[in-house]
Amino acid sequence: ATPVDKAAIAANRNPFVEHLDFDRIRLPVVARARRDGDRFIPLGQRSEKKLGKFLTAARVPGTMRIRTFVIEDAERIFWACPIRISEHVKVTEKTSIILDLRIMEV
């Protein structure tokens, strides 16, 4: 496996592009609107949080909250797009396949 170039990933930061550990994602992947009670483990945290409470704690403005949606796999939410990915799918030294997930306007 090729080493992960974290510096290159950080340099090309776009809120609608995430680099994820493909082996940690269980297909199918679905994009949907937020729902009351949605929960996930935000990157950098160890415990599950309600998405609404996470957005409040992260001081996400109301206009952005309305536009935030979730990307989930067969088991859990792994991206509160475009705010933060889940701890479960972050790229690590053990990552063998990186999924570049890009959200585009249609």
Side-chain angles (χ1 to χ4, degrees), residues 24-36:
R24 308 280 319 257
I25 295 172
R26 304 293 168 247
L27 299 177
V29 170
V30 176
R32 64 168 175 80
R34 291 178 27 211
R35 289 183 263 205
D36 286 342

Side-chain angles (χ1 to χ4, degrees), residues 11-44:
N12 294 314
R13 187 74 183 118
N14 175 329
F16 292 97
V17 176
E18 284 295 346
H19 308 282
L20 313 166
D21 186 333
F22 182 74
D23 293 328
R24 308 280 319 257
I25 295 172
R26 304 293 168 247
L27 299 177
V29 170
V30 176
R32 64 168 175 80
R34 291 178 27 211
R35 289 183 263 205
D36 286 342
D38 277 344
R39 302 174 79 84
F40 83 125
I41 300 176
L43 181 66

Side-chain angles (χ1 to χ4, degrees), residues 42-62:
L43 181 66
Q45 299 187 14
R46 294 179 183 250
S47 60
E48 193 173 69
K49 304 268 187 217
K50 281 190 172 182
L51 183 54
K53 290 191 183 234
F54 164 74
L55 295 174
T56 299
R59 297 185 177 182
V60 175

